[in-house]
Amino acid sequence: MDQAIAQLKQWIAESDNVVFFGGAGVSTESGIPDFRSVDGLYHQKWKYPPEEILSATFFSRHPDEYYRFHREKLVIDGVKPNRAHLRLAKLEQEGKLRAVITQNIDGLHQAAGSKNVLELHGSILRAYCSRCRKPYSAELMNHGEGVPRCDCGGVIRPDIVLYEEPLDEDVMMRAIHYIRAADVLIIGGTSLNVYPAAGLIRYYRGEKLALVNLSETPYDSYANLVIHQKIGDVFSQI
Ligand code: CNA
């Protein structure tokens, strides 16, 4: 076994206060493209760049175009949790992992059995009316046609944080709490480019920070352990 993976395995074996903070790279092995990899969404051709489509201004001006992108690119039927999601759920069951903090909106950590999941950017498995805030099932939004509308006439929207929108303060405060108190912090499958989520790393105060990501990140020099391998491969060994 790779020395860095062996070290991470040992940290986990010795701890009951591990926290995981992850992003889109955790779900690529389930078949969901991330944003910034070469085959990620930012390298695919769309009429508008994905970061523009996923903004609050774009959603309010062009909900039809937003929903075309949403149904084609964000909703992927039949996806299943992969080795990383499953191992994290097991670590929680074993009393080692306190929380999964995720930037993902796909619900795969919960599908794997994780209970304490903090969704910084919300979930495409929930929807609500953008005018009266009435909650809706995600079915119409994810699999219907055209722009889904509420009884009040408002546009139904996904319960995700669009660009230009603030993060939920309560979720952010809880994430800070877990990271501050963590013994071992594992960060995985994130380019650490999207703020304010990426800034969470600065709240960690320990000396067991492991970064598991295929490509380099701006925080590689900040971590105690850096593993540039597939997260599923790494998590199947720890
Ligand atoms: P990102 O900026 O696309 O970065 C993903 C990172 O993961 C890259 O640095 C890759 O090198 C790395 N990576 C890809 N596959 C693997 C793998 N198998 N093992 C290890 N590393 C891998 O995504 P971030 O999460 O950093 O950016 C935050 C955005 C992306 C959030 O707002 C998310 O909502 C959004 N997003 C979410 C999903 C999802 O829910 N599955 C999918 C696409 C984008």
Side-chain angles (χ1 to χ4, degrees):
M1 186 190 291
D2 180 301
Q3 211 180 335
I5 299 176
Q7 175 70 80
L8 177 57
K9 188 177 170 149
Q10 191 184 337
W11 284 350
I12 294 170
E14 290 167 357
S15 179
D16 65 353
N17 186 1
V18 180
V19 170
F20 179 80
F21 170 43
V26 176
S27 294
T28 52
E29 290 169 66
S30 293
I32 304 178
D34 63 8
F35 279 176
R36 289 177 183 79
S37 292
V38 259
D39 52 352
L41 293 180
Y42 285 2
H43 295 268
Q44 300 178 10
K45 290 237 174 312
W46 274 79
K47 197 164 144 200
Y48 305 92
E51 53 274 62
E52 190 177 334
I53 302 178
L54 291 168
S55 70
T57 305
F58 191 92
F59 182 83
S60 66
R61 286 193 189 147
H62 311 284
D64 45 349
E65 190 68 22
Y66 170 85
Y67 270 110
R68 262 187 357 98
F69 179 87
H70 179 101
R71 291 178 184 131
E72 197 168 318
K73 292 293 167 191
L74 302 187
V75 180
I76 297 165
D77 287 327
V79 287
K80 291 200 173 70
N82 63 47
R83 293 174 295 174
H85 299 106
L86 294 168
R87 183 66 188 123
L88 284 164
K90 190 97 191 302
L91 286 171
E92 184 186 55
Q93 278 163 23
E94 290 166 1
K96 296 199 152 290
L97 186 98
R98 300 274 173 103
V100 168
I101 301 164
T102 183
Q103 299 165 84
N104 292 349
I105 53 176
D106 55 31
L108 283 179
H109 285 293
Q110 291 91 333
S114 283
K115 300 284 180 243
N116 196 22
V117 182
L118 277 62
E119 295 174 315
L120 295 172
H121 294 160
S123 171
I124 57 160
L125 303 181
R126 297 186 299 268
Y128 66 94
C129 171
S130 53
R131 189 188 288 168
C132 72
R133 302 189 73 86
K134 179 177 169 184
Y136 275 86
S137 106
E139 185 52 29
L140 197 60
M141 173 180 78
N142 290 344
H143 297 107
E145 277 182 24
V147 177
R149 289 201 177 264
C150 174
D151 307 334
C152 80
V155 173
I156 295 174
R157 60 161 289 171
D159 187 3
I160 61 174
V161 180
L162 295 166
Y163 284 102
E164 303 163 356
E165 292 179 334
L167 270 57
D168 183 291
E169 219 171 286
D170 178 56
V171 178
M172 198 65 177
M173 291 313 291
R174 286 171 56 220
I176 290 172
H177 159 79
Y178 280 111
I179 289 178
R180 248 196 199 134
D183 169 28
V184 179
L185 177 64
I186 309 172
I187 299 186
T190 170
S191 64
L192 293 171
N193 267 308
V194 176
Y195 283 83
L200 280 173
I201 190 171
R202 300 228 166 243
Y203 289 95
Y204 179 62
R205 296 187 287 202
E207 288 180 354
K208 293 174 188 160
L209 169 53
L211 205 48
V212 184
N213 203 60
L214 272 184
S215 57
E216 286 181 13
T217 79
Y219 286 93
D220 280 11
S221 60
Y222 196 81
N224 304 97
L225 210 56
V226 180
I227 305 174
H228 290 305
Q229 294 182 42
K230 278 191 174 179
I231 195 159
D233 289 344
V234 175
F235 272 71
S236 57
Q237 297 175 66
I238 57 175

